[in-house]
């Protein structure tokens, strides 16, 4: 019986472990203070909560799911639970950090998938790192400052006020996201694509063909492929491959597993096939990737 890859996870940070006084589903801090308190978070880790950072000053780099980005003033990034992350800063870095649990909005919004409607909560790293235009930098910074103030207050509706301010940030960023180059998407097609991505995340270990997912979605493989190309800019099969490669990269950071064990855990027939697959789509072998990220 194959062993679940969950047992080989990169260290997971729990939101309640970051609380100072009492467990909270929400945390906002000035970034310099946060980094000073949690120096271990510079190393590769993942969160069990939503995480966003607005940089107002700084340099260096940060990586989300092994994709590296330069740290720039008025860059904001968003992460969903489970994504892998690390930092490598140069000099002083300032800004704000917000963490909130998966259930933070649960009693406030009737739609459990509401956060999925924001493009930057897609779980795709390149869509989640955004440079803010000058026109909204001041107003957005003001919203972060209001959140810092409200977090300290003890009023009956404090939690709801925090949620309203946080949603204002989301709306402001979404309205000014410059990466929207795809055609408008209908609600029906949006649901299909979101369900496809969720099915991949749950089944990529065993289901490797778009036709298998199309069957679960009650559409034809051609329709699924056309939707992915039109709205995501990639073939349906590429989404499956990308998820397998991401899991492979995560497992390669567990130095207690050799390449053969990783190949077996990912349901490849043998080590050779896994190595060829990994090199074909990343340009490097699993061993080279592991050494480079040591």
């Amino acid at each position: 019986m194959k062993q679940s890859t969950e047992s080989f996870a990169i260290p997971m940070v729990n939101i309640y472990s970051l609380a100072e006084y009492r467990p909270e589903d929400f945390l906002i801090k000035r970034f310099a203070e946060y980094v000073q308190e949690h120096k271990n978070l510079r190393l590769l880790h993942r969160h069990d909560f939503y995480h966003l950072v607005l940089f107002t000053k700084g340099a260096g780099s940060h990586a989300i799911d092994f994709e590296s980005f330069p740290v720039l003033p008025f860059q904001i990034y968003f992460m969903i639970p489970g994504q892998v992350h690390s930092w490598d800063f140069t000099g002083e870095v300032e800004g704000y950090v917000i963490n909130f649990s998966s259930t933070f909005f649960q009693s406030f919004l009737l739609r459990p998938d509401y956060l999925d409607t924001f493009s930057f909560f897609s779980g795709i790293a390149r869509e989640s790192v955004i440079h803010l235009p000058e026109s909204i930098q001041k107003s957005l910074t003001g919203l972060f400052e209001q959140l810092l103030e409200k977090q300290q207050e003890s009023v009956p509706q404090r939690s709801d006020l925090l949620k309203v301010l946080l949603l204002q940030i989301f709306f402001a960023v979404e309205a000014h996201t410059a990466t929207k180059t795809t055609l408008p998407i209908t609600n029906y097609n949006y649901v299909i694509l979101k369900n496809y991505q969720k099915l991949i995340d749950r089944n990529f270990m065993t289901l490797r063909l778009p036709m298998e997912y199309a069957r679960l979605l009650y559409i034809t493989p051609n329709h699924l492929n056309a939707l992915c190309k039109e709205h995501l800019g990639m073939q349906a099969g590429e989404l499956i491959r990308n998820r397998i490669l991401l899991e492979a990269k995560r497992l390669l950071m567990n130095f207690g597993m050799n390449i053969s064990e990783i190949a077996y855990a990912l349901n490849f027939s043998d080590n050779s096939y896994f190595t060829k697959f990994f090199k074909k789509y990343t340009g490097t072998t699993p061993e080279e990737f592991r050494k480079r990220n040591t």
Side-chain angles (χ1 to χ4, degrees):
M1 187 171 109
K2 289 198 180 296
Q3 207 167 356
S4 168
T5 60
E6 289 300 313
S7 60
F8 307 122
I10 288 165
M12 177 77 79
V13 180
N14 181 279
I15 190 169
Y16 302 117
S17 69
L18 303 176
E20 294 177 321
Y21 307 111
R22 62 184 185 277
E24 294 256 21
D25 286 318
F26 176 88
L27 170 73
I28 179 170
K29 278 207 164 185
R30 299 196 187 278
F31 192 70
E33 181 183 353
Y34 182 81
V35 172
Q36 188 62 30
E37 291 176 356
H38 306 291
K39 294 180 181 178
N40 60 313
L41 297 185
R42 292 173 181 263
L43 304 176
L44 202 65
H45 64 281
R46 64 170 87 188
H47 310 131
D48 71 349
F49 49 85
Y50 288 86
H51 169 76
L52 64 126
V53 169
L54 170 62
F55 295 116
T56 56
K57 174 186 175 182
S61 65
H62 64 103
I64 300 174
D65 283 337
F66 306 98
E67 190 167 349
S68 184
F69 302 90
V71 172
L72 299 169
F74 290 99
Q75 177 193 90
I76 189 169
Y77 73 77
F78 299 82
M79 290 178 61
I80 63 174
Q83 288 190 282
V84 174
H85 190 217
S86 62
W87 293 315
D88 185 14
F89 298 128
T90 302
E92 294 183 6
V93 180
E94 295 178 3
Y96 308 87
V97 57
I98 291 177
N99 300 326
F100 63 95
S101 70
S102 299
T103 58
F104 183 61
F105 283 105
Q106 205 166 65
S107 62
F108 190 71
L109 300 171
L110 291 176
R111 288 181 55 186
D113 65 341
Y114 188 77
L115 292 183
D116 293 343
T117 64
F118 295 104
S119 61
F120 42 77
F121 280 134
S122 65
I124 300 172
R126 63 180 177 274
E127 295 179 1
S128 307
V129 180
I130 301 159
H131 185 74
L132 300 175
E134 190 175 350
S135 59
I136 65 166
Q137 290 175 5
K138 185 175 180 181
S139 61
L140 211 60
T141 302
L143 289 171
F144 277 89
E145 287 293 334
Q146 288 184 62
L147 280 167
L148 281 168
E149 292 175 13
K150 294 299 178 187
Q151 183 177 238
Q152 303 304 319
E153 294 181 0
S154 297
V155 294
Q157 286 136 349
R158 168 181 167 275
S159 181
D160 287 346
L161 288 170
L162 292 172
K163 290 165 187 168
V164 168
L165 289 168
L166 194 52
L167 285 172
Q168 286 185 56
I169 290 172
F170 297 164
F171 291 136
V173 174
E174 185 77 0
H176 290 83
T177 298
T179 57
K180 294 179 180 177
T181 56
T182 55
L183 298 173
I185 183 168
T186 65
N187 285 337
Y188 173 71
N189 288 341
Y190 169 82
V191 170
I192 288 177
L193 289 174
K194 279 297 177 184
N195 285 340
Y196 179 43
Q197 291 169 315
K198 289 177 182 177
L199 283 170
I200 290 173
D201 208 47
R202 290 198 296 264
N203 300 286
F204 71 92
M205 297 286 289
T206 53
L207 303 183
R208 299 290 172 90
L209 300 175
M211 64 181 292
E212 296 173 300
Y213 291 94
R215 193 178 301 122
L216 293 173
L217 293 166
Y218 300 101
I219 61 175
T220 67
N222 286 342
H223 185 196
L224 177 60
N225 201 48
L227 286 178
C228 290
K229 286 196 291 185
E230 181 178 3
H231 298 292
L232 302 177
M234 61 181 75
Q235 303 274 352
E238 193 175 345
L239 273 75
I240 303 169
R241 289 196 299 272
N242 288 347
R243 185 62 185 87
I244 297 167
L245 289 167
L246 173 58
E247 195 66 21
K249 290 174 182 178
R250 290 174 176 175
L251 293 181
L252 285 165
M253 292 299 97
N254 176 12
F255 298 99
M257 295 179 72
N258 62 41
I259 305 302
S260 294
E261 289 170 330
I262 292 172
Y264 181 76
L266 290 172
N267 209 19
F268 283 87
S269 56
D270 58 54
N271 178 28
S272 176
Y273 178 38
F274 168 63
T275 298
K276 288 177 182 176
F277 171 85
F278 192 88
K279 185 171 183 179
K280 179 179 180 180
Y281 295 108
T282 67
T284 185
T285 66
E287 292 89 346
E288 290 167 346
F289 176 85
R290 172 173 273 179
K291 288 177 183 176
R292 186 188 307 157
N293 290 277
T294 301

